[in-house]
Amino acid sequence: MTEYLENILKHILEANKIELDINIFPVKSSIFNAFATEQPVIFVNLGLIRSVRNESELAFIICHELAHHIHKHSIEGFFFHYKLENLKEFKSISSYEKILKKHGFSREMEHEADSIGIIYFKNTGYSQASAVSVFDLMMDEYEEYSMNKIESVLDFKGFYDSLPYALLDSMAKIHLYDPIRNIQLSSHPDSRERKAFIEKCIDPLKGEKFIQEEEKFLNIQKSALLESLRLSLLEGNYPQAYFIANII
C-alpha cells in the first residue's frame, strides 16, 4: 500500500518538475482524512483509501496535501494560533471569537491548497473529472445520516435485534445532516463551494482514472476495507462496521 501511494506521489512530483524529498504513508484510521505536516511527510488514512473510487481521486487529494506542505500551511497555522493566544491585541477578544478567527484562517489555507493542488493535478494526466467527483465523496462521508436514512439502504433489523441493550445504549446517536450548518465554526470550507470552484478549473473529458494497473488499486482498497472494518469494531462504530461489511 505504501509503495502504491509512493508511486502516485512520485508521478505528481515528476509531472510538475518538483524536486522534493518527501514521504507518504497510510495511517491505520477508519476516518476519511489525509494530512500533511511541516515535516516532509503526507499521511493518508485507510478510511479515505477504502472510500475513493479510483486512483485519480486519490491523486487529487495527494496534490492538495502536497500544496499544504510546499506552502508551509501547518507552520503558518501554528504561528497564527500563537499570535491569537499571546499577542496583546488579541487578549481582549473572547474564546469564541478566537475560534472563529482560527477556523477562518484554516479555511483560507484550504482554499489556497485547492487552488494550487488543482494546478499540480492537471499536469499529471489523471482524470480531471475526479477532482470534482472527490468532493461528492467528501460530502457523502461527512454528512451525518438519520437512522431512517441508513435503514433505507441497509437492513439493520436483524443486526440490532441480535445486540444486547447495553451495547445499543453505548452506540453514538446519528443525527440528520443540517445543510444550513454554521460554516464559520468549521475548519474547512463548504464542500459544495469547493466543488464549484474546481469545476471552473477543469476539463472533465481529459485524463485517465488509472495510471497504475487498476488491479493494484482494487487490491489496496480491499486491504483498506478489511482493516477499516477491524478498526471500526475496535472503535465501537458499529453502524460503520456493518456498512463496510456489506460492501465487502
Side-chain angles (χ1 to χ4, degrees):
M1 189 177 296
T2 300
E3 182 182 2
Y4 186 84
L5 294 174
E6 287 174 341
N7 288 341
I8 296 175
L9 179 58
K10 181 182 178 183
H11 176 71
I12 293 167
L13 294 172
E14 290 177 349
N16 287 279
K17 298 180 173 57
I18 297 172
E19 294 184 9
L20 180 65
D21 186 12
I22 183 169
N23 295 307
I24 186 167
F25 299 107
V27 178
K28 285 190 175 184
S29 170
S30 63
I31 297 171
F32 184 95
N33 194 29
F35 56 97
T37 69
E38 71 278 2
Q39 301 298 321
V41 185
I42 293 172
F43 297 99
V44 185
N45 286 1
L46 295 183
L48 189 151
I49 295 171
R50 74 165 174 84
S51 299
V52 292
R53 291 158 292 198
N54 50 61
E55 182 182 334
S56 56
E57 286 186 343
L58 187 53
F60 174 71
I61 292 168
I62 293 172
C63 285
H64 175 92
E65 297 306 328
L66 181 63
H68 274 311
H69 172 73
I70 289 176
H71 291 270
K72 305 184 186 304
H73 287 170
S74 61
I75 296 174
E76 286 187 35
F78 172 81
F79 283 113
F80 183 79
H81 291 185
Y82 178 84
K83 289 177 183 178
L84 278 179
E85 297 299 333
N86 295 280
L87 294 187
K88 286 184 179 180
E89 58 261 41
F90 296 115
K91 290 290 184 182
S92 61
I93 69 174
S94 68
S95 297
Y96 178 75
E97 289 175 304
K98 287 180 181 178
I99 290 172
L100 293 182
K101 286 183 179 295
K102 287 177 182 179
H103 287 183
F105 183 83
S106 177
R107 291 194 300 274
E108 288 178 15
M109 296 299 96
E110 293 301 323
H111 279 307
E112 185 174 332
D114 284 344
S115 300
I116 298 165
I118 190 61
I119 295 172
Y120 295 159
F121 184 71
K122 287 170 68 175
N123 290 332
T124 61
Y126 281 112
S127 168
Q128 293 185 26
S130 293
V132 174
S133 64
V134 77
F135 286 103
D136 292 326
L137 188 62
M138 287 181 190
M139 286 186 276
D140 287 343
E141 287 292 328
Y142 288 123
E143 271 191 357
E144 295 179 331
Y145 292 94
S146 69
M147 191 55 70
N148 287 337
K149 189 167 184 180
I150 292 178
E151 288 175 345
S152 70
V153 179
L154 299 173
D155 178 16
F156 271 90
K157 187 177 186 305
F159 172 64
Y160 284 119
D161 288 346
S162 67
L163 294 177
Y165 286 113
L167 187 57
L168 285 170
D169 289 342
S170 70
M171 293 171 67
K173 292 181 179 179
I174 301 176
H175 301 286
L176 185 63
Y177 170 69
D178 178 7
I180 317 178
R181 65 193 182 281
N182 189 350
I183 198 65
Q184 288 182 313
L185 294 175
S186 173
S187 61
H188 283 62
D190 189 289
S191 292
R192 290 162 293 190
E193 178 186 336
R194 297 171 72 185
K195 176 185 174 182
F197 168 76
I198 294 296
E199 283 178 324
K200 296 176 183 177
C201 300
I202 60 107
D203 181 341
L205 300 179
K206 285 187 176 180
E208 302 294 330
K209 290 183 178 179
F210 297 93
I211 288 180
Q212 301 179 73
E213 293 177 9
E214 184 175 355
E215 185 178 355
K216 288 183 179 180
F217 171 80
L218 295 175
N219 286 336
I220 70 135
Q221 189 176 57
K222 184 176 181 180
S223 296
L225 276 166
L226 290 169
E227 183 61 15
S228 291
L229 173 58
R230 187 183 75 87
L231 292 169
S232 297
L233 290 170
L234 290 174
E235 294 162 359
N237 192 342
Y238 302 111
Q240 178 171 277
Y242 189 69
F243 182 81
I244 295 172
N246 275 267
I247 295 173
I248 296 171

